[in-house]
Amino acid sequence: MMSAQQTFLRDAMRRLNMTRDSFADRIGVRRRALDTWLLPEDSSEFRSMPGIVEKFVDEIVQREAPAGGDTQSVHTSLRERIAVEGKPQLLSVDQFSRESLEDLFRIADIMQPIARRQKISRVLEGAVLGNLFFEASTRTRVSFGAAFCRLGGSVCDTTGFTFSSMAKGESIYDTSRVMSGYVDALVVRHPEQGSVAEFARATNIPVINGGDGPGEHPSQAMLDLYTIQREFSRLGKLVDGAHVAMVGDLRYGRTVHSLIKLLALYRGLKFTLISPVSLEMPAYIIDQVERGGHVVEQSQSLEEGLRGADVVYATRIQKERFANEAIEGYTPEFQVSQALINRVCDAGTIIMHPLPRDSRPGANDLSTDLNHDPRLAIFRQTDNGIPIRMAIFAVLMGVENQVQHAMRDVTWRTPSRIGPDDASFDGLD
């Protein structure tokens, strides 16, 4: 499980924006010593960090990390800083600055022992979550529900229009206000862009955007970026200066819309956007990213676009978003496969996908022949959805400072790795 020492050191490296090598040099220790301090407590090679080192690291963070930061954070909580019109709601990634995003990730780090089934916390005991999904979902709906339950809450689900009162003509406002009388927080997915914001305007309880049509999917983008940071930490890389290639349906894929805006909070990134002309990223998003000083290139050649990429983020074709349009130009040349990755990417490239990936013949989505490649991070990605969504709930419901004090050990046995084909480093840090 993740130790308090591990959380402390990860937090320090994130605040100082340092790789493991540069951090070891900064605090004057060998890289090997730092690696043993960053191991889980149940590892045979784990070593306790000397108290004098902890004190030295804390002094460095206090002295150096605030430089250039958001001074507002000293006086206000994260809940207040990301509020929408004074309400604790999560509707868009535009609510976040880089510092507030990093603050959320620090809370997610604290949640890791609970997410990995080593600890229990009941800070949301008695609270009820309403999962209102008016569009098909498995991962997002269950992930939000599991995150709420792991903090001690309970969940009420509804899926699709057919079984909702909206099929009888009830307005979004009425539905939201009625549900708010039953539950303590709402997660809403809706096929129409902007509809989740309508739900939020009708209530004062926390509302979380679980996906609004081709608009945004903020929690997915947060878990994606959190995954990139954790993978980069293992590889000795920083998000600043990274090369990110996005492949597939960039026009209707709401996950890439949110992720590219979050990544743009960092410095000096290069984005290669690979898609057919009919599925290119919306121009207003590209303009927003370029105004942040990043390089954006568009390509229709997968092989050329992936060269030198630190992250390959593939997406499926959002067929449900097409009206009378034909899907043109999405040929097998757009499929990310084992042979292609081996040919143009190096050993440190991270391969991601928001899932589900379409494995049917002719879909040309992320190939299943990568399943045993340790560069494939899609299951580490989905696993990270639990601590991120736990952190979101904890912040919006004002209990983030209670979680660590309310932890206790689980009483059941858990596997060392969740999946039989997981990479050797899965589940360890």
Side-chain angles (χ1 to χ4, degrees):
M1 56 168 274
M2 181 176 284
S3 64
Q5 173 176 293
Q6 194 179 12
T7 301
F8 172 77
L9 289 170
R10 281 187 179 278
D11 181 31
M13 285 189 287
R14 184 182 288 133
R15 288 190 176 198
L16 295 168
N17 198 31
M18 288 182 172
T19 64
R20 290 194 187 194
D21 286 332
S22 59
F23 184 69
D25 288 342
R26 180 66 185 85
I27 64 176
V29 301
R30 293 181 182 275
R31 167 64 191 270
R32 175 60 186 158
L34 176 61
D35 286 345
T36 62
W37 298 340
L38 282 164
L39 289 168
E41 285 182 339
D42 55 3
S43 170
S44 62
E45 297 186 16
F46 170 81
R47 297 292 181 272
S48 294
M49 175 176 54
I52 188 66
V53 175
E54 181 177 0
K55 182 178 179 181
F56 182 46
V57 170
D58 190 52
E59 288 176 353
I60 293 173
V61 170
Q62 294 301 320
R63 184 171 62 249
E64 299 178 13
D70 181 2
T71 56
Q72 182 190 21
S73 65
V74 177
H75 308 289
T76 58
S77 68
L78 179 56
R79 185 174 188 257
E80 294 172 304
R81 279 181 281 145
I82 65 171
V84 179
E85 298 178 351
K87 301 177 183 180
Q89 298 173 343
L90 175 56
L91 307 181
S92 168
V93 295
D94 292 334
Q95 295 168 230
F96 283 81
S97 64
R98 175 170 175 169
E99 183 169 8
S100 59
L101 188 64
E102 299 284 3
D103 285 346
L104 183 78
F105 289 169
R106 283 191 278 275
I107 297 167
D109 285 345
I110 293 170
M111 300 295 183
Q112 283 286 357
I114 307 172
R116 294 179 182 274
R117 309 162 207 195
Q118 302 294 332
K119 294 286 186 179
I120 295 171
S121 183
R122 313 299 294 175
V123 292
L124 291 183
E125 187 170 12
V128 179
L129 171 68
N131 257 350
L132 303 187
F133 279 69
F134 300 102
E135 188 177 51
S137 171
T138 302
R139 274 150 301 279
T140 303
R141 181 172 55 82
V142 175
S143 177
F144 270 117
F148 204 80
C149 288
R150 290 200 182 279
L151 289 175
S154 55
V155 182
C156 294
D157 272 317
T158 182
T159 306
F161 280 103
T162 306
F163 302 104
S164 78
S165 293
M166 293 179 74
K168 304 173 183 176
E170 185 174 56
S171 68
I172 286 179
Y173 184 98
D174 286 3
T175 300
S176 178
R177 175 57 187 85
V178 169
M179 289 300 299
S180 299
Y182 302 155
V183 301
D184 302 288
L186 285 171
V187 177
V188 182
R189 171 171 287 189
H190 198 281
E192 295 178 12
Q193 186 171 350
S195 56
V196 179
E198 289 188 53
F199 274 91
R201 283 191 287 271
T203 182
N204 290 324
I205 70 170
V207 174
I208 298 169
N209 183 355
D212 62 333
E216 283 202 47
H217 196 346
S219 68
Q220 178 70 48
M222 290 169 190
L223 74 88
D224 289 342
L225 181 51
Y226 183 67
T227 300
I228 291 170
Q229 281 205 350
R230 290 177 65 82
E231 297 289 314
F232 277 16
S233 174
R234 176 174 57 81
L235 296 167
K237 296 180 178 181
L238 295 174
V239 176
D240 289 327
H243 177 191
V244 179
M246 295 181 167
V247 183
D249 186 350
L250 308 185
R251 178 181 179 183
Y252 293 110
R254 59 194 171 201
T255 60
V256 289
H257 298 171
S258 293
L259 178 58
I260 196 170
K261 289 198 284 186
L262 280 187
L263 283 165
L265 296 174
Y266 291 76
R267 294 191 294 270
L269 274 74
K270 175 183 176 181
F271 296 99
T272 303
L273 308 179
I274 309 163
S275 69
V277 173
S278 61
L279 297 176
E280 288 180 346
M281 182 78 73
Y284 76 91
I285 296 179
I286 294 176
D287 290 343
Q288 180 177 335
V289 172
E290 288 181 330
R291 285 197 301 271
H294 305 286
V295 174
V296 180
E297 297 179 351
Q298 298 191 75
S299 174
Q300 294 179 47
S301 169
L302 190 59
E303 184 150 347
E304 290 303 314
L306 295 191
R307 291 190 185 278
D310 297 296
V311 178
V312 175
Y313 192 96
T315 63
R316 70 180 177 88
I317 298 296
Q318 306 285 307
K319 295 179 182 178
E320 64 272 23
R321 309 276 176 234
F322 287 70
N324 298 316
E325 305 162 89
I327 302 173
E328 297 179 356
Y330 205 78
T331 60
E333 286 74 29
F334 282 94
Q335 185 176 53
V336 178
S337 66
Q338 180 79 69
L340 176 67
I341 292 296
N342 288 344
R343 192 162 62 248
V344 301
C345 296
D346 62 32
T349 300
I350 304 302
I351 305 164
M352 302 176 66
H353 192 294
L355 300 182
R357 56 177 165 169
D358 192 338
S359 302
R360 292 171 293 187
N364 303 324
D365 203 344
L366 180 67
S367 176
T368 56
D369 67 4
L370 282 158
N371 281 3
H372 295 90
D373 192 317
R375 291 172 290 187
L376 187 72
I378 59 175
F379 300 118
R380 299 190 289 279
Q381 196 178 342
T382 54
D383 291 346
N384 283 330
I386 298 296
I388 283 292
R389 287 169 173 139
M390 289 170 68
I392 291 169
F393 284 129
V395 168
L396 296 184
M397 301 188 77
V399 298
E400 70 272 24
N401 295 324
Q402 302 174 35
V403 174
Q404 213 162 10
H405 303 295
M407 285 188 190
R408 57 185 173 87
D409 292 338
V410 301
T411 56
W412 65 87
R413 298 188 64 176
T414 58
S416 58
R417 299 185 205 169
I418 297 174
D421 297 325
D422 286 353
S424 59
F425 47 80
D426 281 3
L428 295 180
D429 58 13

